[in-house]
Amino acid sequence: MKKFIRALAFSAALTFGIAPNFASADSLDAYREMIRDGRYTIRYETVIPSTRTTNKDRVELFGSSGLAVAQNEYLIDKPLVGLIVAFNQDRYEQVGDGAFDMCRLTRGDENFFFTRKTDGDHIKYYGERRNEVRAQARNRLAEIFEGKSFGDEEMTRLINAMLPDELKSANMPRYTHIKSGQLSDGLRYEDYKSTDGGAMSAIRYYFDGDRLVKIASADYRKGSDGNIEGRRSVIEIKEFSSKAEEKYLKLPSALKDVTKRKKEG
C-alpha cells in the first residue's frame, strides 16, 4: 500500500508541478552524449518488473525495439538483469535472469539472435540450434521509427525518453523536463512528463552526485470503460559508462556462425 501511495504521489507531482524547480536538467547531458557518441556499457536490474504478457500465442521472442522478454513464460515475474554494450554501429544486448538470457549481437548490417543458459560453471548457447547461429538482416526501418533498442522494451523506452527531440525517432513520445530536486536521502532527481491525449507518462531519473543510479516510471491511461489504467516500473542502474566492453561485440567462441553469404564480386 505504501508503494502504491508513493507511486501516486510521484505521478501527481509531475502532473501538477508540485515541488520547486531547483535546477536545469543537466545531469542527463553526460548520458545523452554517450548515446550520441555510440560508445557505452550499461548494466541494469529491474526492481519492479513491467507487466508481462507471456508467449501464449508463441510470438517471436526477439522484438524490433527491444528483446521481447514480456512474451517469455520462463522469465515471468522475475527481476531482469540487463547488459548493453555499444561501439559505433556494433551493439550487444543481453536480458534475462542470469540463468536464462536472451541475446542480440548487431554487427554492421547483421543481427545474431541467440540464448544463453548458465548451469553452474557451464554455459550453453542456442541459436539455429545448439552452438550454431545464423545472421539475420538488420532492420534499419524499425530503427528509424522505433529508435535503437536498449535490452528489453521498458528499458528501451526509458533510455530513449532522455534523448532530446532532434535525436528521437519518428514514433517516440516527446518528454518535457518538469522539475529537479533533492531527496532526504541525498539523491538528486530530474522529472520528465509526456502527455498524449488521455495518456500520461512520468519518468524520474535519480542521481548520486552525477551518477545515474535509478529510473522510475509511472504511466496512466483512461480505458474504454472510463476507468484509469496504470503501470509503473523501477530500474536500478548498476553501470552507465562511456567505456565499451568490446569483448561482448563478437560472437562467443562456442557459437559457430553458419551464415551463407554471397561472395564479393
Side-chain angles (χ1 to χ4, degrees), residues 221-229:
R221 180 184 299 275
K222 196 170 186 178
S224 58
D225 57 0
N227 294 324
I228 300 297
E229 301 170 353

Side-chain angles (χ1 to χ4, degrees), residues 177-213:
H177 174 237
I178 302 300
K179 65 180 186 299
S180 303
Q182 187 159 343
L183 303 172
S184 58
D185 59 4
L187 294 182
R188 294 177 49 254
Y189 64 86
E190 293 180 7
D191 286 347
Y192 292 79
K193 183 181 72 171
S194 173
T195 56
D196 181 13
M200 190 278 290
S201 174
I203 302 177
R204 173 169 286 182
Y205 299 92
Y206 294 82
F207 300 88
D208 185 355
D210 288 326
R211 185 169 64 92
L212 180 64
V213 295

Side-chain angles (χ1 to χ4, degrees), residues 242-253:
S242 59
K243 179 182 177 181
E245 296 190 32
E246 296 184 55
K247 65 180 181 181
Y248 290 104
L249 298 175
K250 57 184 179 181
L251 287 173
S253 57

Side-chain angles (χ1 to χ4, degrees), residues 143-154:
E143 291 183 19
I144 291 173
F145 283 94
E146 303 295 339
K148 290 183 178 177
S149 58
F150 291 86
D152 66 284
E153 292 182 357
E154 180 67 3

